[in-house]
Amino acid sequence: MSLRPILIHPDPRLKKVADPVSEITPELEKLADDMLETMYDAPGIGLAAPQIGVMTRLIVMDCVKGEDEAPRPMALFNPEVTWSSDERSTYEEGCLSIPDQFAEVERPSEVKVAWLDRHGKLQEEHFTGLWATCVQHEIDHLNGKLFIDYLGPMKRQMITRKMVKLKRDLAREKA
Ligand code: K2U
Ligand code: ZN
């Protein structure tokens, strides 16, 4: 397994719609393992393939909190929301592609998601709480949508300007 660099907004690849997976190959299984390693290292609780520049409909998650519960690494190929609750919840979201920026985002409190697992088997699960927020955040990444797209234009522009400066400063450090 290997750590993969995470793209920072603004980046055109983060705004593209990712391509569906036709079959689960060993290469895609390795990609999922690399994404889980990259996610845990960040650290994060979710990661979508476009965030490491791979335009494929694959997301990984592990929203288990605290040491007492066993981790639950998940890899979802071609994930789709099949049902969402009328009830909505607000969560202060962040994003590994928009470091150190947080804002409240309102989303359906619960969702049902169908996907292909790493064995090519169709799965469906009802997500609630942080898992529901995370899976919706990750599926948005597959459709080129970022959490800042739910904010007003002023706040979105302020965060984008901060990221442009961050990328300029990082580039200078490397030079
Ligand atoms: O997709 C990503 O960038 C990883 C996201 C996933 C996420 C965002 C908002 C709400 C839930 C999940 C995060 O950056 S992972 C970092 C994190 C950790 C704990 C709680 C919220 C965010
Ligand atoms: Zn994100």
Side-chain angles (χ1 to χ4, degrees), residues 137-155:
H137 177 111
E138 301 312 332
I139 292 174
D140 271 356
H141 273 300
L142 301 182
N143 298 319
K145 198 167 177 114
L146 302 171
F147 81 91
I148 56 171
D149 295 331
Y150 294 93
L151 309 182
M154 298 305 288
K155 188 144 171 67

Side-chain angles (χ1 to χ4, degrees), residues 100-116:
D100 304 323
Q101 305 301 312
F102 298 90
E104 293 206 332
V105 176
E106 189 187 277
R107 298 180 189 270
S109 304
E110 306 185 20
V111 286
K112 278 187 187 163
V113 175
W115 72 93
L116 285 181

Side-chain angles (χ1 to χ4, degrees), residues 51 94-96 137 141:
Q51 292 183 272
C95 183
L96 296 176
H137 177 111
H141 273 300

Side-chain angles (χ1 to χ4, degrees), residues 79-129:
E80 284 181 35
V81 174
T82 55
W83 171 87
S84 54
S85 61
D86 293 333
E87 187 201 359
R88 299 171 71 80
S89 299
T90 299
Y91 192 89
E92 186 166 50
E93 298 198 10
C95 183
L96 296 176
S97 295
I98 309 176
D100 304 323
Q101 305 301 312
F102 298 90
E104 293 206 332
V105 176
E106 189 187 277
R107 298 180 189 270
S109 304
E110 306 185 20
V111 286
K112 278 187 187 163
V113 175
W115 72 93
L116 285 181
D117 67 15
R118 61 172 61 212
H119 309 296
K121 184 168 178 287
L122 187 62
Q123 302 285 352
E124 182 164 37
E125 187 160 331
H126 182 147
F127 292 104
T128 63

